[in-house]
Amino acid sequence: LADDTRYCELAPETYQAWGQRGDLYRAMKRWKEAIADYAFAIRLAPENYYYYFARGDSRTRQGEFASAVNDFRKALDYGSPRGDTYYNMACAYCLWAKSLEKGTERWAIDKALETLELAVKEGWTDWQAMKTDADLEIIRTEPRFVKLLEGK
């Protein structure tokens, strides 16, 4: 981390410096710092999908669900692998649904299912992850989810 911080200090206009340190913060689950570094990388390289994707994941973990979904959409706009990105967006919607008051979460569940269906349509094939990913827990008993797994 110290080396990456020094890299950012020595080359502040190098988007890779900020992205690399963002990756370290993300690996350390230091979401706020990761989000800040990815934001800086995005300012320097606004068409690099990876930083939107990584910031979206960090924002999901931070509980900033609306911003996470927007980042995933932006990543898609700039060429992010569609299946992976839709899958992670579905995870964000599921966690968002879990954060809502009981009885108000239906819209987020529907968006999660819709987005997960898009992930499969766009090539997502990690069925084991879909069965075991804790992020998707809230939709596991949904008929659309069950149907999606049966259709693999």
Side-chain angles (χ1 to χ4, degrees):
L1 184 58
D3 289 341
D4 286 304
T5 297
R6 185 79 175 129
Y7 184 23
C8 291
E9 292 167 355
L10 292 173
E13 297 305 313
T14 305
Y15 71 89
Q16 296 96 330
W18 300 99
Q20 187 172 309
R21 192 172 72 172
D23 288 343
L24 279 175
Y25 281 136
R26 188 167 148 224
M28 297 166 67
K29 300 182 180 184
R30 290 172 59 176
W31 312 121
K32 286 183 182 182
E33 290 105 327
I35 292 165
D37 278 1
Y38 291 135
F40 207 96
I42 288 166
R43 274 185 253 128
L44 296 170
E47 294 183 10
N48 187 315
Y49 74 78
Y50 174 77
Y51 299 123
Y52 291 102
F53 179 90
R55 187 173 69 176
D57 179 61
S58 299
R59 283 178 161 169
T60 297
R61 304 300 154 207
Q62 184 67 25
E64 299 173 10
F65 304 115
S67 295
V69 167
N70 287 334
D71 276 342
F72 289 131
R73 287 187 181 133
K74 199 73 165 172
L76 288 166
D77 290 344
Y78 289 117
S80 185
R82 300 182 78 71
D84 291 347
T85 305
Y86 281 126
Y87 180 85
N88 281 277
M89 191 185 304
C91 290
Y93 276 120
C94 284
L95 294 172
W96 196 350
K98 284 176 69 172
S99 76
L100 298 172
E101 188 176 321
K102 190 83 170 150
T104 65
E105 74 281 2
R106 185 76 239 168
W107 70 269
I109 290 171
D110 289 340
K111 290 299 287 182
L113 290 163
E114 173 187 323
T115 308
L116 193 57
E117 289 164 350
L118 285 170
V120 170
K121 181 180 175 190
E122 294 290 343
W124 179 265
T125 58
D126 190 345
W127 305 105
Q128 189 59 33
M130 286 176 56
K131 292 177 185 175
T132 60
D133 191 330
D135 292 351
L136 303 179
E137 179 184 354
I138 198 167
I139 62 170
R140 280 232 171 73
T141 59
E142 292 287 324
R144 284 170 67 186
F145 183 82
V146 173
K147 183 179 176 185
L148 192 61
L149 283 179
E150 289 172 353
K152 62 177 181 151

